[in-house]
Amino acid sequence: MIKKTIHTILVLCLALALPLTAMGQNDKFIVVLDAGHGGHDAGAVGRPTTNREKDINLAITLKVGQLLKKNCPDVQVLYTRDTDVFVTLDGRANIANKAKANLFVSIHTNAIERSPSRQPVGVQSYTLSLKTVGTNLEVEKRENSVIQFEADGEQKYSFANPNSSESDIIFELMQDQDMQESVNFAKLAQEEMVRSGGRNDMGVLQANLAVLRLTYMPSVLLEVGFISTPAEETFLMSDEGRTVMAQCIYNAISRYKTQHTGRMSNLEKIDTKAANKIVEEREAERLKQEAAQAEADAKKAEDERKADEARAAQAAEAQAKAQEAREIAERDNAEAKQATANRKAAEAQLKQADDALKKAENELKLAQAATQNPALLSKIPTSSNSKTTQPTAGIVFKVQLFASQREIKKGSAEMKGLDADSFKEGDLYKYTYGATTDYNEILRIKKEIASKFPDTFIVAFKDGVKMNTNEAIKQWRAK
């Protein structure tokens, strides 16, 4: 069965193979120009996403076709597409196969992942290889990736990754006769693009490219430059650059046709100066814009840094103020707790004073009664609590009424009829009432004025200097 299949295919291949040297003088030399990608398949995309491989390919392809029609009346030009449409890989090959074309030229634009360290420049010419070459695997994957845009692509182009010896035998039989001619044209195209077009030479290579494998004539895929490299992107996006590449490809086709038909055609004189000048000017402008952008970015970064420093300073200041507020609140809270404790102690002492007053009143009543009845004198108790208040190491207790940022004169309404004293502490005037070395006495005074000044508290002075009230009470009690 296998032998029969191979025999059938061999016969088919021989039938399809028309030697180019057997062409008559009036036979048309058929060239199929294939603009890679198209329609919803944009191919590689440049730095501005409006720079698309499919547009570059089509523009160069149409220019090549125009030159052939103008200078080579013996050449029939066919396009796989002459507008922005999507054509399947087998659809492209079918156009060439049905026309029994003498040459198939597929025009593409190269690309790699953008990186400052990887910016290759140059042109490449690919012919078919039935085995994947590791060094060209990246190009092979990218150019064959168009299969994903076809619904049944994986099944239709299963040979794109062949794994059987039978597949290799069949395609070797069908393609071997065209291999040498494909390499021949690839060398001509590479020579024109490098020597006449001034492009960097990246070699004539081989890869397992589906669009080449489906055609039954000499077939070459040309990579006219890297859209991923800024300088070449600028070149290929200019009309002058596309004209140079089209002239190079036209000259290669014309030379190849002459080899196989003996019929010469005019070659284009290629002037790369205009294209290179435009590239230089646009590259200079691009670099200028990038420098301006870099300067703007640096200024923006500096402004942001200064703004960050200002915000940090404001945050530090706010934090310091918050800490100060917390300390004041803690101090006020401690003073409030101390005032509460002092109030409770004062109330206890006041109760003791009330009890002592009641006792004294009873003693007075007994004394008054004794004047009427001397026998009652023996019932009058002798007070053991009476003592004369003496200064306690220069400590004086006072009741602080309130504080004010302005000085208040004696006799003003704020004093509520009390003859108050004052002292200045910081920016505040503080007003006090009463002065005694006896802590119990100052508690009594505080209670007397509580109805007029309910928020008063006791302060202490030693030798005329304000001191801690709790410490003053301790020293008083130690006496």
Side-chain angles (χ1 to χ4, degrees):
M1 180 64 182
I2 294 176
K3 291 182 177 179
K4 183 178 179 181
T5 302
I6 295 176
H7 180 267
T8 301
I9 294 174
L10 180 59
V11 172
L12 177 61
C13 291
L14 292 173
L16 288 171
L18 176 63
L20 292 173
T21 54
M23 292 181 64
Q25 289 296 318
N26 297 322
D27 292 335
K28 286 284 188 180
F29 187 88
I30 302 173
V31 177
V32 174
L33 300 177
D34 174 46
H37 307 280
H40 56 275
D41 175 19
V45 178
R47 189 173 300 273
T49 55
T50 52
N51 292 355
R52 301 172 298 188
E53 177 188 354
K54 66 174 184 177
D55 300 325
I56 296 173
N57 300 343
L58 181 60
I60 294 175
T61 298
L62 294 177
K63 284 179 177 290
V64 174
Q66 290 168 0
L67 289 171
L68 287 170
K69 292 176 181 179
K70 173 185 174 184
N71 298 317
C72 305
D74 58 335
V75 172
Q76 179 180 351
V77 178
L78 297 177
Y79 300 104
T80 57
R81 69 179 183 97
D82 56 6
T83 58
D84 185 17
V85 295
F86 177 77
V87 183
T88 62
L89 294 177
D90 61 343
R92 297 168 189 267
N94 286 340
I95 292 173
N97 292 335
K98 289 179 181 179
K100 296 182 180 181
N102 302 105
L103 182 63
F104 179 85
V105 182
S106 186
I107 298 173
H108 286 256
T109 305
N110 222 331
I112 62 170
E113 185 176 351
R114 287 184 180 272
S115 169
S117 61
R118 292 186 68 197
Q119 292 195 0
V121 294
V123 292
Q124 297 172 319
S125 299
Y126 279 90
T127 62
L128 178 65
S129 170
L130 299 180
K131 297 293 185 183
T132 295
V133 180
T135 55
N136 303 329
L137 185 59
E138 187 173 342
V139 170
E140 181 175 308
K141 286 181 177 179
R142 182 170 55 78
E143 297 302 353
N144 284 342
S145 66
V146 68
I147 292 172
Q148 68 181 305
F149 293 104
E150 300 186 42
D152 56 349
E154 292 186 4
Q155 292 76 24
K156 189 189 301 182
Y157 309 115
S158 59
F159 59 78
N161 185 20
N163 55 14
S164 69
S165 58
E166 292 180 15
S167 175
D168 287 344
I169 292 172
I170 293 170
F171 280 99
E172 284 174 7
L173 289 171
M174 297 173 67
Q175 296 284 356
D176 184 61
Q177 59 182 323
D178 297 323
M179 284 290 188
Q180 290 184 351
E181 291 304 324
S182 296
V183 173
N184 177 28
F185 175 74
K187 289 180 179 179
L188 291 174
Q190 192 73 9
E191 181 182 309
E192 285 292 335
M193 291 189 290
V194 173
R195 187 187 64 186
S196 304
R199 313 314 294 164
N200 184 49
D201 187 2
M202 295 187 72
V204 175
L205 308 169
Q206 289 186 318
N208 182 14
L209 303 174
V211 72
L212 301 183
R213 194 161 187 173
L214 291 167
T215 56
Y216 308 137
M217 72 284 301
S219 304
V220 174
L221 185 146
L222 304 178
E223 297 281 4
V224 297
F226 286 82
I227 195 174
S228 54
T229 299
E232 292 213 330
E233 180 182 9
T234 301
F235 178 81
L236 294 171
M237 288 306 299
S238 70
D239 185 66
E240 291 79 3
R242 295 173 181 181
T243 297
V244 167
M245 299 314 299
Q247 289 173 329
C248 292
I249 297 170
Y250 160 77
N251 283 353
I253 295 173
S254 181
R255 290 171 61 190
Y256 181 81
K257 182 206 70 165
T258 299
Q259 288 179 358
H260 293 282
T261 66
R263 301 191 296 267
M264 298 182 63
S265 299
N266 294 329
L267 298 181
E268 288 290 309
K269 294 181 179 180
I270 302 173
D271 182 8
T272 60
K273 293 181 180 180
N276 291 335
K277 181 179 179 181
I278 286 179
V279 171
E280 291 173 1
E281 290 175 350
R282 293 184 182 177
E283 275 298 287
E285 180 62 26
R286 182 182 66 82
L287 293 174
K288 181 179 178 182
Q289 291 176 356
E290 288 183 354
Q293 185 61 48
E295 184 178 352
D297 292 342
K299 184 178 183 304
K300 182 180 179 181
E302 178 65 15
D303 293 342
E304 290 178 351
R305 184 187 64 78
K306 290 180 179 179
D308 289 342
E309 290 180 352
R311 285 192 290 269
Q314 292 174 355
E317 183 180 357
Q319 187 175 7
K321 289 182 178 180
Q323 180 62 26
E324 182 181 359
R326 281 194 295 270
E327 292 175 355
I328 292 173
E330 290 173 357
R331 185 168 63 248
D332 291 346
N333 187 44
E335 290 181 357
K337 289 181 179 179
Q338 185 60 51
T340 301
N342 292 344
R343 179 179 59 77
K344 291 181 179 179
E347 289 175 351
Q349 293 177 358
L350 184 59
K351 185 175 184 304
Q352 293 177 357
D354 287 341
D355 294 341
L357 181 59
K358 289 178 181 178
K359 185 177 180 181
E361 288 175 349
N362 290 334
E363 291 175 354
L364 180 59
K365 289 179 181 179
L366 288 173
Q368 289 175 346
T371 58
Q372 302 295 328
N373 185 0
L376 296 176
L377 288 172
S378 60
K379 297 183 179 182
I380 301 175
T382 301
S383 175
S384 61
N385 296 328
S386 61
K387 65 177 180 178
T388 304
T389 303
Q390 298 294 331
T392 306
I395 295 175
V396 177
F397 297 98
K398 299 181 180 182
V399 179
Q400 182 168 320
L401 304 176
F402 58 86
S404 174
Q405 291 183 339
R406 60 184 179 85
E407 188 174 8
I408 300 173
K409 296 181 179 180
K410 287 189 176 185
S412 65
E414 286 91 338
M415 301 300 185
K416 299 183 180 180
L418 299 181
D419 186 14
D421 295 322
S422 67
F423 68 96
K424 191 171 184 182
E425 188 173 44
D427 295 333
L428 297 176
Y429 294 94
K430 299 184 177 181
Y431 296 88
T432 62
Y433 179 71
T436 176
T437 59
D438 188 344
Y439 182 66
N440 289 332
E441 177 65 15
I442 202 64
L443 287 173
R444 184 187 64 75
I445 294 172
K446 182 176 181 298
K447 185 175 181 182
E448 286 180 353
I449 64 175
S451 60
K452 294 182 178 180
F453 295 95
D455 298 325
T456 58
F457 55 91
I458 297 171
V459 293
F461 297 82
K462 185 173 185 178
D463 299 330
V465 179
K466 188 178 179 183
M467 67 177 294
N468 184 276
T469 304
N470 291 335
E471 183 61 31
I473 294 172
K474 287 180 182 179
Q475 292 185 22
W476 178 80
R477 286 176 176 167
K479 294 297 182 178

